[in-house]
Amino acid sequence: MSFPDQRSGTRVAFEFIEGNEAIARGALRAKCDFVASYPLTPASSILTYMLQLLPEAGGIAIQAEDEIASMGFCIGAAMAGRKVLTSTSGPGMSLYSENIGLAIMGETPMVIVDVQRQGPATGSATQGAEGDIQFTRWGTSGGLPIIALSPATVGEAYELTYRAFNFAERYRTPVFLLTNKEIGMTKESVSLDAIELPPLVERKRVPPGQSEYVPHFFRTAEEVPAISDFGGEYVVRYTTSTHDQAGYLTTRPEIIQEMLAHYRAKIEMAIDEITLVKQDLQENADTLVISYGVTSRSAAVAIREARSRGRKVSSLVLQTLWPVPERAIQSAMAGVKRIIVPEMNMGQYLIEVERLAPRDAEVVGVNKMDTTLLSPAEILEQGGLQ
Amino acid sequence: MSDVRYETYMTGSIKPLPFCPGCGHRTLNEALDGALVKLQLDPEKVVIVTDIGCIGVSDQYFTTSAFHGLHGRSITYACGLKLARPELTVIALKGDGGCGIGGTHLLNVARRNIGITLIVANNFNYGMTGGQHSVTTPSEGITSSTPWGNIEEPIDLCSTAAAAGAAWVYRATTFDKDLADVFATAIEQPGFAMIDVWELCTAYYGPRNQLKKKDLFALLDRQEFKLGLQVDQPRPEYGARYRQACEQRNQVATTKGAIEPSYPNFIDKQTGIVIAGGAGQKIRSSATLFAKGAIYAGLQATQKDDYPITVQAGHSISVIILSPERIDYTGIESPDFFLLLSPEGLARARERIERLPATCTLYADEALELPATNAQVHRLPFADLGVRVGKLHVATTALGALLEDSGLFPAEAFAAAIESFQRPEIAEANVKAMKAGAGLVRKTRP
């Protein structure tokens, strides 16, 4: 987010929009052309914006009968060549769960937005939280990896939605955007046009003229299979059941293991490409704050304050939460004695940080789940940064 | 359609159909093959969508495209495929079990009239999981989950689909000689078409209930279910209507989005403003215009709102932060300015007002009884003025007063936002209201 320098005469045009609108705009920028969602605050307005924006762009937006149908419509449309997005909050994520597994199994490119609200269950309708972090990683049976990105600002909601589509297409996988009511329904001044975006990625499609299409063809485990969309030149097979590369059911253990290894390898071997972090490291820092999402903004204020008092504090803000950017985290941890992990939950990413931390470093969670933002003062105090 | 003549759509490359001897699924699959042969559709333009149960294994025996999804959800994938690619012929195969677990999808596809074909292989029990009862198991029927006889009543899938608005509904049995033709007719329907196909499960339901071919027809009679065409009332297909509606709809009036900073400001630190009022006072939209005014004055801004789910009653509170620099933390422990415009706002914000620091200026409507507070209180007749300028403009009035008193940024910037983002007649009234608010403050000055 840049501020126009009035003295230099730079003219930057701003908008004043909420995170949910930025997600819709980012999706459109990524050429999303199919949306199916079921209304659920604080995610509802993403569907509303899409219902306004997509028809004019030649796309389809539909309010499904429930969250299960939202996922079903999207998976069907994605495999027929559409770039799809569905949006919900915690209660809807629970209903998405089984179809998330299908999307992984069928190697379906799709973007799933979770505008987190305080839970469990109906929880505090509608207040913010970051309670779905581990749920997103382990939210379906089988335990296979997914990709999840977490924006901290309205501008990042736009940018990371766009990048989520790129990752979905590149790796043929569901990609989650883990945002928060505190971003989704907060308006901010932002210049979307000033945000630099990478080139758009489209799925690798099977070239014409092949004798047949093998829907899950790979030579090495990490290779992402090319797609032929339903309705294209080839006959396509898609299945929820354990299958071979050709998409036929199989009971052969060695093929099953090979397929499972492939689902995992295509994400985990690409971890460096998927890693998006912002680091602000200080030389000889004894403390590191690892944060993500809206809480990273409170952390930024706390870190500025601590530094102004002479503390040596480094900052690592994670935009990629899954797969865990382990190398970036371990590199930032080098030499620090204390690692602070503030979260609007009871300590979820803390688990990942703890397993990566050097033995002699103390890992401190600053946790709250009372519907209010963690304040800079709470991070300073409970993180021992005073 | 290509020049190739398709003699069959069943693949020979994998083992033959795996169904039990006498199971109706075999006949059903062969009839579907017959229908496809009759229609001579290109295999890659046909998708057979299945879900769970024995019938769910059918898709891979066809040379068409195939989609095998989660239990009970075949209709949802079929709809996604059809909406995404209207030229596809999409045929969902489902059991009576799938119609139970996915019942809502059946109702909704019928209601929407999305142009897929649904073939229900209805054998009154879950074959794959060991013969448990389903939503179509007849009364008294013996299954592994109703060992004493079914005490639930079965639903009539045809009348259920019809009640939900299905355009084309047919009931058949696997003993019908014309089943392939019926399937072909169903597939040719532009809208949603459903065939409820009664058949025998020779592994479970048949032997447990001594149900043979003649008993199947007796069961139809006993339940007073008729065979044959149930509904034939074509109406526009959903996707076609959607595309037509998109073409016909008026362009949505798009508001001007971009704000180019073009006024000065007089803020050197992050400044928090709370505006607390009631539903109908346009608190949120006025706060947004105010924040946009601040952006016109070169400031960064954020806004969060608090209102009850019953949006036309109760409190409405907006929290605005303005700053010459990037705004990180969007919470406000100690607002710099607090505008209090109605009893609902007071009721919601009472504790907050009691905690306001001495550095905060509180602008409160004259009529409100305030709790004790350390804030510097300015009493202004917002509500009285509201009677003159209209309730819809009270919040703008109050924000006009705030600007006049605080000098955060020029009123012209606020007016620019109002004029850029509101219709001319409303903008005119709002600019007047803003100036009236400024007038209230000027009157209080010595």
Side-chain angles (χ1 to χ4, degrees):
Chain A
M1 215 191 295
S2 64
F3 178 66
D5 185 342
Q6 288 168 7
R7 282 155 300 187
S8 72
T10 316
R11 306 288 281 184
V12 182
F14 288 89
E15 292 179 82
F16 190 56
I17 59 172
E18 62 172 27
N20 284 351
E21 180 171 355
I23 287 170
R25 302 263 297 274
L28 209 66
R29 182 75 190 272
K31 299 203 183 316
C32 167
D33 57 2
F34 191 95
V35 166
S37 297
Y38 186 76
L40 183 66
T41 332
S44 306
S45 61
I46 297 173
L47 174 61
T48 312
Y49 290 119
M50 282 305 199
L51 286 163
Q52 288 165 0
L53 295 171
L54 268 196
E56 276 175 36
I60 292 174
I62 182 171
Q63 177 181 317
E65 57 265 30
D66 58 21
E67 286 86 348
I68 294 171
S70 303
M71 282 292 287
F73 287 4
C74 281
I75 292 172
M79 297 315 292
R82 298 276 182 161
K83 294 181 84 169
V84 309
L85 175 144
T86 186
S87 47
T88 191
S89 189
M93 281 283 281
S94 303
L95 292 176
Y96 280 9
S97 169
E98 192 183 15
N99 265 316
I100 292 168
L102 177 63
I104 293 169
M105 191 66 131
E107 303 195 73
T108 301
M110 67 185 306
V111 174
I112 299 171
V113 180
D114 176 6
V115 188
Q116 294 169 94
R117 71 188 222 186
Q118 204 269 359
T122 304
S124 298
T126 303
Q127 302 294 335
E130 288 161 345
D132 302 347
I133 305 300
Q134 289 287 351
F135 180 44
T136 299
R137 171 60 186 87
W138 304 104
T140 192
S141 62
L144 293 169
I146 44 78
I147 297 173
L149 310 178
S150 181
T153 65
V154 169
E156 286 184 15
Y158 174 79
E159 179 192 338
L160 294 186
T161 301
Y162 177 93
R163 287 181 182 270
F165 274 97
N166 273 3
F167 286 152
E169 294 285 315
R170 170 71 185 83
Y171 300 106
R172 278 190 70 171
T173 183
V175 177
F176 295 83
L177 193 75
L178 271 171
T179 168
N180 182 330
K181 182 261 174 187
E182 287 287 348
I183 301 164
M185 293 180 71
T186 298
K187 289 195 182 85
E188 286 192 72
S189 44
V190 61
S191 180
L192 297 184
D193 293 339
I195 295 170
E196 282 184 34
L197 299 172
L200 197 62
V201 175
E202 297 291 347
R203 65 188 67 175
K204 189 168 71 179
R205 288 189 163 87
V206 181
Q210 311 284 305
S211 59
E212 65 167 342
Y213 166 51
V214 179
H216 304 277
F217 177 75
F218 55 87
R219 282 156 294 205
T220 52
E222 75 282 6
E223 185 177 354
V224 180
I227 297 190
S228 177
D229 303 325
F230 277 99
E233 189 186 338
Y234 300 99
V235 164
V236 179
R237 273 178 301 278
Y238 184 96
T239 178
T240 177
S241 297
T242 308
H243 52 265
D244 58 17
Q245 292 196 7
Y248 284 113
L249 306 195
T250 185
T251 53
R252 291 174 56 191
E254 70 277 16
I255 293 178
I256 294 170
Q257 191 60 43
E258 184 184 80
M259 293 302 293
L260 271 283
H262 158 66
Y263 296 138
R264 188 174 156 189
K266 71 172 179 177
I267 307 287
E268 294 193 344
M269 302 280 276
I271 195 162
D272 289 342
E273 289 168 60
I274 298 167
T275 292
L276 300 170
V277 297
K278 290 181 161 182
Q279 56 179 25
D280 173 12
L281 306 183
Q282 276 202 322
E283 221 173 301
N284 301 323
D286 57 5
T287 303
L288 169 69
V289 180
I290 297 180
S291 61
Y292 59 86
V294 77
T295 304
S296 69
R297 298 166 65 162
S298 299
V301 178
I303 292 164
R304 275 203 299 274
E305 178 69 25
R307 285 176 180 172
S308 75
R309 296 180 201 163
R311 295 289 301 259
K312 296 276 187 195
V313 188
S314 287
S315 167
L316 181 69
V317 178
L318 308 176
Q319 291 182 315
T320 301
L321 294 181
W322 306 110
V324 178
E326 295 185 359
R327 256 191 290 272
I329 291 173
Q330 283 177 319
S331 151
M333 282 170 168
V336 303
K337 294 284 169 261
R338 188 176 179 81
I339 301 159
I340 303 168
V341 188
E343 301 180 85
M344 283 175 78
N345 57 45
M346 299 311 286
Q348 295 198 10
Y349 215 74
L350 183 69
I351 303 165
E352 308 301 324
V353 174
E354 279 172 341
R355 72 179 170 82
L356 295 168
R359 272 191 203 157
D360 58 347
E362 183 189 8
V363 182
V364 182
V366 178
N367 300 98
K368 190 169 81 168
M369 209 174 166
D370 68 351
T371 75
T372 65
L373 290 171
L374 268 177
S375 70
E378 286 166 327
I379 295 171
L380 284 166
E381 187 188 333
Q382 293 168 41
L385 274 174
Q386 285 155 314
Chain B
M1 205 176 284
S2 68
D3 299 331
V4 183
R5 162 91 196 155
Y6 298 103
E7 302 297 336
T8 179
Y9 287 79
M10 303 217 81
T11 177
S13 66
I14 57 171
K15 59 194 175 190
L17 288 169
F19 304 117
C20 303
C23 169
H25 293 353
R26 179 184 305 277
T27 315
L28 190 152
N29 272 277
E30 286 165 357
L32 177 55
D33 182 40
L36 293 171
V37 169
K38 184 177 179 186
L39 296 171
Q40 286 294 304
L41 301 167
D42 288 336
E44 64 275 10
K45 301 298 177 196
V46 177
V47 190
I48 295 178
V49 185
T50 62
D51 49 43
I52 208 70
C54 296
I55 196 67
V57 305
S58 303
D59 60 90
Q60 63 175 345
Y61 295 90
F62 285 85
T63 56
T64 64
S65 283
F67 190 118
H68 175 57
L70 300 179
H71 55 314
R73 313 300 171 194
S74 53
I75 290 171
T76 67
Y77 313 117
C79 289
L81 289 160
K82 184 69 182 177
L83 290 170
R85 290 234 185 189
E87 73 275 18
L88 285 175
T89 297
V90 183
I91 303 161
L93 296 183
K94 211 173 175 60
D96 42 301
C99 289
I101 187 171
T104 184
H105 312 310
L106 172 58
L107 299 181
N108 282 285
V109 70
R111 184 177 67 79
R112 293 191 179 105
N113 197 31
I114 296 176
I116 66 162
T117 304
L118 173 64
I119 298 173
V120 182
N122 185 357
N123 62 11
F124 323 114
N125 75 155
Y126 298 0
M128 187 174 260
T129 49
Q132 295 86 353
H133 74 294
S134 78
V135 291
T136 66
T137 303
S139 177
E140 309 296 333
I142 305 290
T143 71
S144 59
S145 52
T146 55
W148 56 88
N150 188 19
I151 57 170
E152 301 174 13
E153 289 297 318
I155 59 166
D156 174 352
L157 291 176
C158 290
S159 55
T160 300
W168 196 93
V169 180
Y170 196 101
R171 180 153 30 228
T173 76
T174 47
F175 301 105
D176 296 2
K177 294 285 178 263
D178 63 348
L179 193 57
D181 292 336
V182 170
F183 285 173
T185 306
I187 292 165
E188 285 183 313
Q189 299 303 311
F192 174 66
M194 185 188 89
I195 313 101
D196 173 21
V197 186
W198 284 39
E199 49 161 52
L200 298 178
C201 172
T202 50
Y204 297 110
Y205 198 81
R208 280 177 179 155
N209 295 276
Q210 291 83 49
L211 194 79
K212 297 202 166 62
K213 178 180 175 182
K214 65 174 172 32
D215 310 304
L216 194 73
F217 291 97
L219 186 63
L220 280 162
D221 287 342
R222 194 183 101 199
Q223 297 189 169
E224 297 180 356
F225 287 1
K226 299 272 181 285
L227 287 171
L229 189 62
Q230 314 281 316
V231 179
D232 185 8
Q233 293 182 331
R235 60 189 172 93
E237 194 266 339
Y238 179 93
R241 276 184 81 172
Y242 190 96
R243 290 185 290 279
Q244 194 182 21
C246 289
E247 281 165 20
Q248 286 176 351
R249 83 186 196 132
N250 297 325
Q251 287 286 98
V252 174
T254 44
T255 47
K256 276 182 281 177
I259 305 168
E260 282 196 15
S262 34
Y263 296 89
N265 68 67
F266 309 99
I267 297 179
D268 58 5
K269 66 171 184 60
Q270 191 159 312
T271 301
I273 302 162
V274 178
I275 175 163
Q281 286 187 317
K282 297 279 173 196
I283 301 291
R284 288 185 280 152
S285 57
S286 304
T288 297
L289 287 170
F290 183 80
K292 286 179 173 177
I295 300 167
Y296 270 114
L299 293 163
Q300 298 286 312
T302 68
Q303 179 186 343
K304 291 196 256 200
D305 305 313
D306 172 27
Y307 51 91
I309 49 164
T310 51
V311 291
Q312 293 191 343
H315 67 275
S316 180
I317 296 176
S318 289
V319 176
I320 304 167
I321 298 174
L322 306 179
S323 173
E325 288 167 344
R326 189 181 71 192
I327 299 164
D328 282 317
Y329 177 55
T330 58
I332 307 184
E333 265 75 45
S334 320
D336 300 280
F337 301 98
F338 201 111
L339 295 151
L340 185 60
L341 306 184
S342 83
E344 299 92 338
L346 174 59
R348 177 72 173 183
R350 181 174 291 275
E351 280 181 34
R352 206 165 175 174
I353 290 165
E354 287 167 355
R355 289 199 312 266
L356 287 177
T359 51
C360 177
T361 310
L362 169 64
Y363 304 90
D365 182 71
E366 282 183 341
L368 297 172
E369 279 185 34
L370 290 182
T373 174
N374 290 325
Q376 305 163 47
V377 180
H378 283 228
R379 293 293 209 151
L380 292 168
F382 294 130
D384 273 1
L385 189 68
V387 175
R388 276 188 285 137
V389 298
K391 188 186 177 194
L392 299 180
H393 307 293
V394 170
T396 314
T397 304
L399 289 162
L402 166 66
L403 271 190
E404 175 67 24
D405 191 48
S406 65
L408 293 172
F409 59 85
E412 289 77 9
F414 189 14
I418 292 170
E419 283 160 358
S420 298
F421 292 97
Q422 290 200 305
R423 289 205 305 277
E425 63 276 17
I426 298 173
E428 197 185 332
N430 258 336
V431 171
K432 265 191 203 161
M434 178 194 82
K435 288 179 178 168
L440 289 180
V441 170
R442 281 197 294 270
K443 259 192 247 169
T444 63
R445 287 183 184 142

